[in-house]
Amino acid sequence: MTHASIPDHCRLIIEPAPLTGSWNMAVDESLLESAASQEVCSLRWYRWDQPTISLGYFQKNEAEDQNDTWKNLPRVRRLSGGGAILHHHELTYSFAVPASHPLSRSLPDLYLTIHQPLIDVLSAHDLQVEFRGTSITVKSEPFLCFGRGDERDLVFDGHKILGSAQRRRRGAIVQHGSLLLLTSEYAPHFPGLLNQFGQTSLYNETFLTQLTEEFSEAISRAIGLPLQSQNLTDEELSLATRLEKEKYTQVSWTSRKK
């Protein structure tokens, strides 16, 4: 593949088990670097091994933003912007696209391109969600992302069930987002999608595997690239290991104030 060529496929990476927040964020940055330096397109699905707060890149990590419910939860700072996310009963994706692909040209369009297939798949399971359609602007943004409102969010009955964030590097983009499936006891004011439909029993490995497969196929059609199931390369694993050690597990990174 030449440097400027459009990728002819998208890698599909499905993590077999939940992982730490620091490793998840290190891998997502590694995939962004592969997109930027090697024109590799990747779609990754993962979960979290314990309730974890991820802070947006520009977000302050201040005591007044922490309450007794989640102040002792592990924290990691993302490379993308936006508000903090409490990752718990969810399915998380990341999509890294190189600068050579047309999808990299418009950040808003990339949100729509990835979110619409999720709407379609959930609808096929009688879980009807939609784009919020309008952004909500307030003087002081809530600490948690799911308390904020963007027109490209996916909602049910006004409740946000999916939001995404992006980071660009040398023209490439990584976009990752969280699909809130069950209400977390650490944030009971944000109802999970399955709670709202009275289908909490669906939250099991079989259903999550099915959703992941159907989401992947739908996204493949939307981006116009076939999927190839692959693992991280040795180079990506090495970079992610270094990023986790030197960046994402460091208090100096997580607690810095922009």
Side-chain angles (χ1 to χ4, degrees):
M1 181 182 297
T2 62
H3 178 71
S5 64
I6 298 176
D8 58 7
H9 71 279
C10 178
R11 294 190 307 172
L12 175 61
I13 301 169
I14 300 176
E15 302 290 1
L19 300 161
T20 64
S22 58
W23 181 252
N24 279 330
M25 295 301 93
V27 171
D28 278 0
E29 182 167 354
S30 178
L31 296 182
L32 174 59
E33 183 58 33
S34 289
S37 62
Q38 300 178 39
E39 305 289 333
V40 177
C41 181
S42 302
L43 174 63
R44 175 177 178 245
W45 296 97
Y46 56 94
R47 287 179 287 158
W48 306 68
D49 67 352
Q50 60 184 312
T52 302
I53 294 283
S54 75
L55 298 162
Y57 179 79
F58 295 102
Q59 193 169 26
K60 295 180 180 179
N61 185 22
E62 296 182 332
E64 60 264 34
D65 293 322
Q66 306 175 31
N67 63 28
D68 290 338
T69 304
W70 62 67
K71 69 178 182 180
N72 293 321
L73 296 179
R75 294 191 171 210
V76 63
R77 186 176 295 279
R78 304 190 305 272
L79 74 163
S80 60
I85 298 177
L86 172 59
H87 303 278
H88 197 183
H89 304 303
E90 67 173 57
L91 186 60
T92 313
Y93 79 88
S94 65
F95 178 68
V97 61
S100 60
H101 195 284
L103 279 175
S104 69
R105 297 170 190 165
S106 171
L107 299 178
D109 286 350
L110 183 54
Y111 284 121
L112 300 177
T113 299
I114 300 300
H115 287 187
Q116 183 61 56
L118 307 187
I119 292 176
D120 297 339
V121 169
L122 291 172
S123 177
H125 288 276
D126 295 323
L127 301 171
Q128 304 290 338
V129 302
E130 60 186 1
F131 288 108
R132 185 186 299 278
T134 58
S135 294
I136 300 173
T137 304
V138 294
K139 187 174 182 179
S140 179
E141 290 280 19
F143 178 64
L144 291 179
C145 174
F146 274 72
R148 305 181 181 191
D150 181 85
E151 62 186 282
R152 293 165 289 265
D153 293 338
L154 299 191
V155 299
F156 173 75
D157 196 24
H159 295 290
K160 183 174 180 176
I161 59 95
L162 183 134
S164 298
Q166 299 171 333
R167 179 66 181 266
R168 186 186 288 275
R169 177 175 293 172
R170 302 196 301 279
I173 302 170
V174 67
Q175 175 178 302
H176 45 197
S178 301
L179 175 62
L180 178 59
L181 290 169
L182 286 186
T183 305
S184 171
E185 60 266 35
Y186 296 101
H189 45 302
F190 299 133
L193 178 62
L194 298 179
N195 296 88
Q196 296 180 75
F197 280 91
Q199 299 288 340
T200 56
S201 62
L202 286 177
Y203 191 81
N204 55 56
E205 290 297 326
T206 299
F207 182 67
L208 292 175
T209 298
Q210 182 179 2
L211 270 189
T212 300
E213 292 173 352
E214 293 179 5
F215 283 155
S216 300
E217 293 170 2
I219 289 172
S220 173
R221 292 191 294 270
I223 65 177
L225 292 175
L227 298 175
Q228 291 185 11
S229 294
Q230 297 176 8
N231 296 320
L232 296 174
T233 65
D234 290 343
E235 182 180 1
E236 288 166 336
L237 283 170
S238 177
L239 176 58
T241 299
R242 180 169 59 81
L243 287 169
E244 182 183 35
K245 179 181 179 180
E246 299 178 1
K247 183 175 184 178
Y248 288 105
T249 56
Q250 296 300 311
V251 173
S252 58
W253 167 256
T254 303
S255 297
R256 67 185 176 81
K257 297 179 181 180
K258 295 300 291 183

